[in-house]
């Protein structure tokens, strides 16, 4: 029977074009590769795709390739031999991959593997190997693999549908046992519920108690079950706020009562989120705590408005600054003179109320009054709005536009970028 052609990038054989049966089904099995030698012959795109999963499985990876890709060459923890394959290279291996662009070499690798009783994937003609790689995903301690009788497009499509259903919660994968008591500090991202991390969403689905910030994605709270207790820990700018000590106490109290508590924050827990204060309080109380990083609005809001905070040849630095205190406040820790002398990007957070004070301080310290400024309200959310101005007029422009928190202020040449036209602007930095 002729072997089916192979799409090297997909990890699965293409359906045979003849009307003959494909042969026996493959036996799907999980391999424990921890500390065991795995040899990949070839250093192209297929090996590039496989290295991450093999490394995550704890394999002792050896790559033999004449001309490996930069990713393969720089992959941490592997042994790389820059040479052609030689018979005997599979000695001591538990698993092998024949992934060169030379069918004769791949056939020789498979032949050696067969002699040594080593299961071997052949990338160009999958049925000619003794193993095939399923389209797979890993989710919450589950590994799901899909084989579709050689139809790699079908297996990949089904795998993607399963992955999407697991992430969205349409397909339940919540462990039967409850999560152990403790606290998880979860960064919810800039506001769009799709921008929370996979791990953050998984832990949120396991929570008994959720202590939520005002800027935490509200739609995520709507997905919680009816038995989940939600505690409002909002800190409204210049308004009502739950004291930090009360938040710490709530985390500790519920965890000690045997509950799993998720402290859901906007952005990242450690970027003006007082995350470390909460971690320290939990550690001092003997409560187990996990930190799940989130996408900070300091980076995400500009990005969602078409602004990169760094750009090759234009800015090599970005500084994120709290606008919680005025420049002349005795408790301010910001060196505004230094900020005024720098040429890179300044991102101001919580700065709307005092924006004119900050811009005046930067100009007084030497920053060009014509420096572009972009103010992004509700970054990543349906109500996102961008106001463009220059440093000398930023305070007035924000007032005229009625800018309200949450808003991110970007100062620097990148604030003049226009993603619609690809323009990098012309104003001074």
């Amino acid at each position: 029977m002729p072997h089916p052609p192979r799409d090297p990038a997909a990890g699965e054989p293409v359906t045979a074009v003849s009307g003959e049966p494909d042969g026996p089904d493959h036996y799907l099995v999980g391999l424990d590769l921890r500390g065991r030698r795995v040899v990949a012959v070839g250093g192209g795109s297929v090996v590039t795709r496989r290295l991450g999963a093999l490394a995550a499985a704890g394999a002792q990876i050896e790559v033999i390739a004449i001309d490996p890709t930069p990713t393969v060459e720089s992959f941490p923890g592997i042994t790389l031999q820059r040479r052609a394959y030689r018979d005997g290279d599979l000695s001591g291996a538990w698993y092998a991959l024949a992934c060169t662009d030379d069918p004769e070499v791949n056939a020789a690798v498979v032949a050696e593997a067969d002699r040594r009783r080593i299961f071997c994937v052949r990338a160009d003609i999958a049925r000619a190997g003794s193993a095939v790689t399923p389209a797979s995903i890993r989710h919450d301690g589950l590994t799901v693999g899909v084989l579709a009788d050689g139809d790699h497009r079908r297996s990949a499509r089904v795998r993607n549908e399963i992955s999407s259903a697991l992430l969205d919660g349409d397909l339940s994968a919540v462990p039967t046992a409850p999560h152990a008591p403790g606290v998880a500090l979860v960064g919810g991202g800039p506001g769009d519920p799709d921008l929370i991390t996979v791990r953050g969403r998984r832990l949120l689905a396991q929570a008994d108690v959720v202590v939520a910030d005002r800027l935490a994605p509200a739609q995520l709270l709507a997905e919680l079950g009816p038995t989940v207790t939600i505690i409002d820990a909002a800190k409204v700018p210049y308004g009502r706020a739950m004291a930090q000590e009360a938040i710490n106490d709530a985390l500790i109290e519920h965890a000690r009562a045997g509950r799993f508590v998720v402290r859901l924050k906007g952005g990242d827990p450690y970027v003006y989120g007082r995350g470390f204060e909460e971690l320290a309080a939990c550690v001092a109380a003997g409560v187990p705590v996990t930190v799940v990083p989130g996408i900070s609005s300091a980076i995400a809001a500009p990005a969602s408005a078409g602004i990169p905070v760094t750009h090759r040849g234009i800015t090599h630095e970005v500084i994120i600054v709290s606008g919680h205190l005025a420049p002349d406040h005795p408790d301010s820790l910001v060196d505004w003179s230094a900020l005024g002398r720098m040429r890179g990007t300044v991102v101001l957070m919580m700065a709307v109320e005092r924006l004119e004070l900050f811009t005046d301080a930067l100009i007084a310290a030497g920053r060009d009054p014509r420096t572009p400024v972009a103010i992004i309200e509700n970054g990543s959310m349906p109500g996102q709005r961008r106001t463009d101005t220059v440093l000398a007029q930023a305070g007035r422009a924000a007032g005229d536009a009625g800018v309200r928190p949450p808003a991110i202020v970007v100062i620097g040449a990148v604030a003049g970028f226009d993603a619609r036209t690809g323009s990098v602007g012309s104003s001074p930095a």
Side-chain angles (χ1 to χ4, degrees):
M1 173 181 129
H3 294 297
R6 166 86 164 107
D7 177 358
E12 286 290 323
V14 180
T15 305
V17 295
S18 73
E20 299 176 13
D22 287 332
D25 291 339
H26 284 94
Y27 183 74
L28 197 61
V29 66
L31 300 179
D32 182 355
L33 296 176
R34 288 174 295 179
R36 296 186 167 122
R37 185 169 182 254
V38 173
V39 177
V41 180
S45 62
V46 177
V47 172
T48 299
R49 290 164 62 93
R50 299 289 173 257
L51 286 179
L54 290 171
Q60 179 185 327
I61 307 167
E62 182 172 335
V63 177
I64 299 169
I66 297 172
D67 185 22
T69 66
T71 299
V72 171
E73 186 177 31
S74 61
F75 197 89
I78 70 170
T79 299
L80 174 63
Q81 298 193 45
R82 295 168 98 30
R83 61 170 175 82
Y85 161 78
R86 296 192 293 258
D87 189 66
D89 279 339
L90 303 189
S91 177
W94 289 71
Y95 188 62
L97 300 92
C99 303
T100 76
D101 55 6
D102 186 334
E104 292 185 5
V105 173
N106 290 340
V109 174
V110 171
E112 181 186 351
D114 286 346
R115 291 198 314 271
R116 297 181 182 276
R117 298 186 179 183
I118 300 166
F119 282 108
C120 181
V121 172
R122 179 168 173 176
D124 57 340
I125 307 175
R127 286 285 180 180
S130 56
V132 293
T133 305
S136 62
I137 56 167
R138 179 129 178 111
H139 177 87
D140 194 16
L142 299 175
T143 299
V144 180
V146 180
L147 295 175
D149 292 332
D151 185 346
H152 75 279
R153 293 182 180 86
R154 183 184 181 200
S155 62
R157 183 176 65 251
V158 172
R159 182 270 316 273
N160 292 342
E161 290 176 357
I162 293 172
S163 176
S164 180
L166 287 170
L167 291 174
D168 292 343
D170 295 333
L171 179 61
S172 176
V174 177
T176 53
H179 195 288
V183 172
L185 308 179
V186 175
D192 185 332
D194 287 342
L195 295 180
I196 189 174
T197 64
V198 173
R199 188 179 188 194
R201 195 158 197 161
R202 172 172 60 82
L203 292 178
L204 187 62
Q206 297 176 262
D208 301 308
V209 178
V210 175
V211 181
D213 271 357
R214 179 181 67 93
L215 297 180
Q219 288 174 257
L220 295 176
L221 300 179
E223 299 175 1
L224 298 174
T227 62
V228 178
T229 300
I230 301 176
I231 298 174
D232 184 355
K235 288 182 171 62
V236 180
Y238 321 112
R240 297 172 57 194
M242 183 175 181
Q244 187 61 52
E245 292 75 14
I247 295 174
N248 297 348
D249 291 343
L251 299 178
I252 295 167
E253 176 186 343
H254 285 285
R256 282 179 167 172
R259 304 180 185 102
F260 176 52
V261 186
V262 168
R263 173 71 168 108
L264 183 63
K265 299 169 173 289
D268 179 272
Y270 282 180
V271 180
Y272 301 124
R274 299 190 180 183
F276 196 81
E277 294 179 40
E278 293 165 357
L279 179 141
C282 289
V283 170
V287 172
V289 59
T290 300
V291 179
V292 181
I295 301 173
S296 173
S297 59
I299 308 299
S304 66
I307 299 172
V309 293
T310 64
H311 189 76
R312 183 168 60 92
I314 291 181
T315 177
H316 294 173
E317 59 194 357
V318 55
I319 294 185
I320 302 170
V321 182
S322 168
H324 184 63
L325 298 174
D328 59 353
H329 194 286
D331 294 334
S332 176
L333 302 176
V334 179
D335 187 341
W336 289 95
S337 295
L339 289 183
R341 293 193 301 271
M342 66 175 284
R343 299 176 59 189
T345 305
V346 176
V347 176
L348 299 180
M349 303 180 69
M350 303 173 286
V352 172
E353 186 76 8
R354 305 177 181 86
L355 182 54
E356 191 165 0
L357 297 178
F358 301 135
T359 58
D360 286 348
L362 290 172
I363 293 171
R367 196 77 189 232
D368 193 311
R370 298 168 298 164
T371 299
V373 173
I375 307 169
I376 302 102
E377 299 169 79
N378 299 305
S380 82
M381 297 295 288
Q384 177 177 302
R385 182 173 64 147
R386 171 176 171 173
T387 301
D388 292 294
T389 181
V390 293
L391 193 61
Q393 301 173 12
R396 185 190 317 155
D400 291 345
V403 172
R404 298 297 303 160
I408 301 295
V409 181
V410 184
I411 301 169
V414 293
F417 285 17
D418 188 341
R420 295 167 299 180
T421 63
S423 170
V424 297
S426 58
S427 297

